[in-house]
Amino acid sequence: MSIHDTRSAELEATWRDPPGLRGVLSAVNHKTIGRRFIVTAFSFFVAAGILAGLMRLQLMHPGNTVLGPDRYAQIFTMHGTTMMFLFAVPVMQAVAVYVVPLMIGARSIAFPRLNAYAFWIYLFGGVMLYGAFLLNVGPDAGWFAYVPLSGPAYSPGKRVDFWAQMITFTELSGLLEAVIQITTIFKLRAPGMTLNRLPLYVWSVLVTNFMILFAMPAVMLSSTALIMDRLVGTHFYNPAEGGDVLLWQHLFWFFGHPEVYFIFVPALGFMSTIIATFSRRQIFGYTAMVVALIATAFLAFGLWVHHMFATNLPELGKSFFTAVSMMIAIPSAVQIFCWLATLKTGRLVMEVPLHFVLAFFFILVVGGLTGVMLAAVPLDLQVHDTYFVVAHFHYVLIGGAVFPLVGAFYYWFPKVTGRMLSGVLGRWHFWLFFAGFNLTFFPMHVLGLLGMPRRVYTYPADPGWGALNLLSTVGDWITGVSFLLFALNVWRALARGMPAGANPWGAPTLEWATSSPPHAANFPRVPLVRGVAPLWLAEPYAGHVRGLADTQREVLATTVLDAAPDHRMIMPTPTIWPFLSAVATTMLFIGSIFTPWAVVWGTVPVAVALVAWFWPTRAETAEHLALEKRP
Amino acid sequence: MSDPKFEPGAEPALPIPDGDGGTDLDVAVLPSFGFGHRSLMWWGTWGMIAIEGTVFALTIATYFYLRGQGTQWPIAEPPPDLLWGTLNVLVFLASAVPNQAAKRAAERYDLAGARRATLGCAALGMVLLILRVFEFRHLNCRWDTDAYGSVVWTLLGFHTAHLLTDWLDTAVLGVMLCTGPIEGKRYVDVSENAMYWYFVLASWLPIYGVIYWVPRLPPVLSP
């Protein structure tokens, strides 16, 4: 055993999460938390997919009776809520939890215990919502819960309260993740990874998390005001007492439109990563790409009123929002042309991840075109609340985010598990998904133009919508089959997939420099970075970092702009307190649905758990002091 | 691609060798913590400040939005009494003194000084919380009378939640400084806690202005 192997084994023991039940509840390694986060988010994706299947079954024929109106309202609300709040936004942060530290050459994510807490909060919020749904208390006022329908007068009972508290859970988790990921990217990059050597995917995560920081508070505020209107008699949305219903729409969409970009911008990062690897060249126009990402983020905050064109807002104001809605096509186009230039000048390797990425171009362009149409007020008024809108946002979200996400899944699966997915099954998955998706959603454009409203549990035979609806349902079945093949592929790979090796795709970024699955400390030797695509350089690194402890979770913090080594720091060890704190927080949140006093007594266990979490032990402090050196 | 450069003042950052492999960089000589933007805690704290500052800003925006809905503001009640809120402004401003002292003491590793100043901050925080109870009692409205009452209570409630959590933070930190165990990064914690306190202080000033003075604007500026 060489000296490197001995040290590597020691490091592995230092960074590994404990075994057994204690390990399950106290794990803090970002790879463990990231895996759990991703699996949980995909589980919610499957649940919401099943709900979509039920809706398509009901709408297959006019006058169908599979589902009644009440059940249908709960199901479409749960479908939208799950897809947006429990799948699309969390899954993007989840992938970043796993991938970003590896991609930037770090041994850990920043604030690993907080990261574990954010995961538990997300999980408990989702489980609460599904528990309520199974008990027939599932929300039923649509995923954006417009007042007055969602207010106390028209939605008595607890259904909408569970929806509002689900927001509290998921947004708390999302906001904490934003802080964690920004800090990780700014302070824990390997030495030499200056900001202009940051992989484009990491840029996209950084930009997304900044957007989350400033947009998510709006939905927390609006849902808190909603639940207070419902539970303690405030009047934010009650016009009879000086409140206003449009206030809800402003606050919700001030969050809701940037939210689309929380989903879309990380997907742009997947695109850049996968296109570079399988074109065998760096992305054309690195600087233009970064500037386009940042421009998208700013413009995304000026779009929210285009969701409100059917309200009585001043027309002049609406034209401003039309202009911005069209302007955001510019940075998107910059990126698309940079990718096309990369693909044109690269040597393409047609592996499965690239298939999913190429589908983006076709589907997103269709979704983008209908988006430009909807940005025009007169057209929007015609198709508002029809299936045209349903078709539009599924093209944008599935084409713009789910296809790249599934591509990213195929891309990083070998890194996470050490096994290859089957390319044959992957191609079947891709083509069936592509066909099924278009068959499901393309007819909806036509249905919308024919006047079919969204969110109806059934429709009569007269308008002649039956055939297109049947087509759409068949498309959904094909999509379902494609995802069964996907599940089969994953199961097969885990059971007896080909070993992947460190870098099966010949990719250029740092996550491929370590073993698959990665060492518990990510990099037994932290590299000194000398380029944006290190593994494609003849000599990848300028050298390595030496002098970090092997027996403690010591990491190197670097400077924000230039990633020059700044100080060492010791990351916290596994502990059960984040889990217990999340349990206490859950009691507070769920309790407050039933009595406002829960906000008073519920804070006591939370405070106790948080203090216990932060209180240092003497043994731990002694270990830290042994390595301490004052600045 | 430019060579790695070093941030001015970020001593003692190590120069990164730019050779072709083989060169190792020994980081054992580096310090094991750093103050200000060098520490991860500073970035975490600023992240929280950005989030909570946005919540305050949006709540104030909601206040003005609701104010714009009618012709009269407050809708049907007298403005809040000035005394307690104004007193709280003064105590808040005074709390900057022990707060700055705690930050300074921490940054020169003066345990006794940091302990004294932190406990002083916690004591003033207690005073602020007690005054806050009187503030609520003299708002002259209830949260459930009308939208004005709802938004005023929410705004003051949000700020009180920050006051309470940072008071708890400060008190726990104060006790920890008395009982130990102490290591270098506790001083960073004291310094970051002081920065967060400044946020609670600074956010109170506009919120105070909105809650107490907007209802008193002359009729010519009424909604």
Side-chain angles (χ1 to χ4, degrees):
Chain A
M1 218 184 208
S2 78
I3 179 86
H4 282 314
D5 294 336
T6 325
R7 288 196 43 215
S8 168
E10 197 166 29
L11 261 179
E12 175 85 27
T14 302
W15 284 87
R16 206 185 300 130
D17 288 313
L21 181 66
R22 194 168 73 88
V24 171
L25 301 180
S26 63
V28 294
N29 192 303
H30 78 95
K31 293 182 291 301
T32 313
I33 302 295
R35 268 199 316 268
R36 288 180 189 175
F37 230 128
I38 294 168
V39 170
T40 310
F42 270 96
S43 308
F44 284 123
F45 177 63
V46 170
I50 292 171
L51 296 176
L54 289 172
M55 285 191 281
R56 283 315 322 162
L57 204 59
Q58 163 66 15
L59 296 175
M60 187 163 61
H61 304 299
N64 212 357
T65 54
V66 179
L67 299 170
D70 180 69
R71 182 70 69 188
Y72 190 86
Q74 282 189 65
I75 285 179
F76 77 66
T77 305
M78 285 293 291
H79 168 77
T81 300
T82 307
M83 283 299 193
M84 295 304 276
F85 292 105
L86 296 174
F87 168 64
V89 177
V91 80
M92 296 301 174
Q93 289 190 317
V95 173
V97 165
Y98 193 98
V99 171
V100 164
L102 287 162
M103 226 177 191
I104 62 174
R107 281 187 173 173
S108 171
I109 200 163
F111 314 120
R113 289 180 176 179
L114 196 62
N115 189 42
Y117 174 79
F119 165 71
W120 292 117
I121 286 291
Y122 158 63
L123 175 69
F124 294 161
V127 168
M128 174 201 72
L129 189 74
Y130 271 82
F133 175 59
L134 294 177
L135 296 170
N136 199 25
V137 216
D140 56 357
W143 81 271
F144 41 69
Y146 272 6
V147 289
L149 177 63
S150 63
Y154 297 95
S155 288
K158 294 288 172 203
R159 287 180 171 185
V160 175
D161 299 322
F162 279 105
W163 182 88
Q165 278 314 57
M166 177 283 306
I167 296 285
T168 316
F169 276 101
T170 52
E171 308 314 85
L172 173 59
S173 166
L175 284 164
L176 292 177
E177 279 302 334
V179 173
I180 292 166
Q181 293 178 14
I182 290 172
T183 309
T184 306
I185 295 169
F186 275 162
K187 289 299 296 177
L188 293 178
R189 305 195 307 278
M193 186 179 278
T194 56
L195 278 188
N196 55 357
R197 290 173 183 167
L198 197 61
L200 284 169
Y201 171 64
V202 183
W203 267 113
S204 75
V205 172
L206 183 66
V207 166
T208 306
N209 283 309
F210 266 102
M211 293 173 71
I212 288 177
L213 227 45
F214 296 106
M216 270 195 189
V219 76
M220 283 194 99
L221 174 63
S222 62
S223 67
T224 305
L226 175 65
I227 207 167
M228 288 196 301
D229 269 16
R230 296 174 52 84
L231 298 178
V232 296
T234 57
H235 299 288
F236 284 96
Y237 307 120
N238 175 12
E241 296 293 350
D244 184 59
V245 290
L246 279 191
L247 172 62
W248 170 267
Q249 296 194 23
H250 280 297
L251 286 174
F252 188 87
W253 291 117
F254 185 79
F255 148 80
H257 201 87
E259 186 194 22
V260 176
Y261 290 87
F262 306 165
I263 299 166
F264 182 58
V265 172
L268 300 177
F270 297 149
M271 296 286 296
S272 295
T273 308
I274 294 171
I275 289 178
T277 295
F278 296 105
S279 304
R280 294 287 180 260
R281 59 155 292 169
Q282 289 177 38
I283 293 291
F284 175 86
Y286 177 92
T287 312
M289 293 292 288
V290 173
V291 173
L293 281 175
I294 296 170
T296 305
F298 276 98
L299 291 172
F301 281 85
L303 300 176
W304 83 92
V305 170
H306 78 209
H307 295 267
M308 301 168 63
F309 281 162
T311 65
N312 63 342
L313 291 172
E315 292 305 320
L316 186 67
K318 287 182 191 168
S319 13
F320 168 81
F321 285 94
T322 294
V324 182
S325 305
M326 293 188 172
M327 208 195 302
I328 202 158
I330 299 171
S332 307
V334 167
Q335 299 191 61
I336 289 181
F337 286 118
C338 284
W339 289 324
L340 290 177
T342 312
L343 289 165
K344 176 81 178 68
T345 54
R347 284 185 290 119
L348 297 194
V349 184
M350 285 304 291
E351 292 286 355
V352 178
L354 190 62
H355 283 67
F356 282 92
V357 154
L358 293 180
F360 169 100
F361 290 97
F362 175 77
I363 300 173
L364 189 89
V365 166
V366 174
L369 284 176
T370 53
V372 174
M373 289 159 81
L374 287 169
V377 177
L379 203 137
D380 181 79
L381 281 178
Q382 290 304 312
V383 294
H384 188 83
D385 259 341
T386 70
Y387 265 88
F388 190 84
V389 176
V390 177
H392 160 71
F393 67 70
H394 281 93
Y395 266 81
V396 176
L397 289 169
I398 297 185
V402 178
F403 270 87
L405 174 71
V406 176
F409 191 99
Y410 278 92
Y411 182 69
W412 278 310
F413 184 87
K415 179 49 60 185
V416 178
T417 63
R419 304 278 172 174
M420 297 302 285
L421 286 162
S422 146
V424 176
L425 276 175
R427 283 177 178 79
W428 273 99
H429 172 206
F430 168 75
W431 284 110
L432 286 175
F433 183 26
F434 185 77
F437 164 79
N438 281 296
L439 200 57
T440 311
F441 292 103
F442 198 84
M444 291 187 187
H445 291 110
V446 185
L447 281 169
L449 292 172
L450 291 175
M452 180 167 168
R454 61 193 284 205
R455 297 180 169 176
V456 286
Y457 82 101
T458 189
Y459 53 91
D462 316 336
W465 299 337
L468 287 171
N469 269 300
L470 181 60
L471 205 59
S472 176
T473 302
V474 172
D476 178 62
W477 291 341
I478 297 175
T479 309
V481 170
S482 81
F483 274 88
L484 284 178
L485 290 181
F486 183 40
L488 175 71
N489 199 353
V490 170
W491 174 79
R492 215 182 132 272
L494 290 176
R496 52 194 163 90
M498 256 193 358
N503 190 2
W505 311 120
T509 39
L510 285 181
E511 77 273 28
W512 302 103
T514 187
S515 53
S516 310
H519 188 279
N522 291 354
F523 301 90
R525 300 170 76 209
V526 174
L528 303 178
V529 179
R530 53 198 290 268
V532 70
L535 304 194
W536 283 350
L537 297 172
E539 186 63 58
Y541 317 121
H544 289 90
V545 167
R546 179 156 61 80
L548 289 174
D550 293 336
T551 51
Q552 295 204 45
R553 298 188 171 207
E554 195 168 39
V555 301
L556 179 66
T558 49
T559 58
V560 175
L561 300 180
D562 298 317
D566 189 62
H567 62 274
R568 298 171 287 123
M569 62 177 291
I570 296 171
M571 285 293 176
T573 46
T575 168
I576 199 166
W577 287 108
F579 171 76
L580 294 179
S581 303
V583 170
T585 314
T586 303
M587 283 170 12
L588 190 165
F589 287 169
I590 297 183
S592 66
I593 293 178
F594 297 95
T595 162
W597 289 105
V599 177
V600 180
W601 57 252
T603 49
V604 178
V606 174
V608 170
L610 290 179
V611 171
W613 169 353
F614 289 111
W615 201 274
T617 67
R618 295 203 178 265
E620 200 172 270
T621 309
E623 282 174 7
H624 293 178
L625 283 171
L627 292 174
E628 182 163 302
K629 192 164 179 296
R630 286 181 181 180
Chain B
M1 208 55 69
S2 69
D3 290 338
K5 293 193 188 58
F6 309 112
E7 212 173 358
E11 292 283 344
L14 288 175
I16 303 169
D18 208 17
D20 279 356
T23 326
D24 275 0
L25 184 69
D26 188 357
V27 299
V29 297
L30 289 176
S32 57
F33 59 95
F35 288 98
H37 70 89
R38 297 176 60 186
S39 97
L40 270 64
M41 202 49 100
W42 186 91
W43 287 93
T45 311
W46 270 104
M48 299 317 284
I49 290 176
I51 293 166
E52 290 152 22
T54 308
V55 172
F56 286 144
L58 288 168
T59 314
I60 290 175
T62 300
Y63 179 99
F64 282 100
Y65 181 94
L66 290 170
R67 181 174 176 268
Q69 296 301 309
T71 50
Q72 212 181 315
W73 193 262
I75 295 172
E77 45 280 271
D81 300 340
L82 279 177
L83 175 69
W84 300 104
T86 312
L87 213 53
N88 241 346
V89 172
L90 298 177
V91 181
F92 254 119
L93 291 175
S95 73
V97 176
N99 193 48
Q100 187 63 19
K103 195 164 171 1
R104 288 237 181 94
E107 285 164 16
R108 53 170 200 268
Y109 311 111
D110 168 7
L111 181 60
R115 192 185 285 157
R116 259 195 318 276
T118 304
L119 290 174
C121 281
L124 275 183
M126 196 48 156
V127 174
L128 289 164
L129 280 167
I130 293 169
L131 288 176
R132 192 45 67 80
V133 176
F134 288 95
E135 275 194 75
F136 274 110
R137 293 170 69 114
H138 289 83
L139 282 178
N140 296 330
C141 62
R142 277 173 58 96
W143 63 91
D144 56 359
T145 21
D146 53 30
Y148 164 79
S150 307
V151 74
V152 167
W153 273 77
T154 303
L155 196 48
L156 195 60
F158 279 169
H159 191 265
T160 308
H162 285 75
L163 182 55
L164 193 63
T165 43
D166 201 24
W167 174 77
L168 187 69
D169 249 24
T170 310
V172 169
L173 202 53
V175 173
M176 202 186 284
L177 292 177
C178 295
T179 64
I182 301 293
E183 60 176 300
K185 69 178 182 191
R186 285 290 93 74
Y187 295 107
V188 181
D189 292 345
V190 173
S191 164
E192 296 315 321
N193 187 57
M195 183 175 83
Y196 189 79
W197 181 257
Y198 278 128
F199 164 68
V200 179
L201 190 171
S203 58
W204 176 236
L205 303 177
I207 294 174
Y208 165 78
V210 169
I211 292 181
Y212 289 92
W213 291 97
V214 171
R216 291 186 159 79
L217 287 178
V220 65
L221 292 174
S222 63

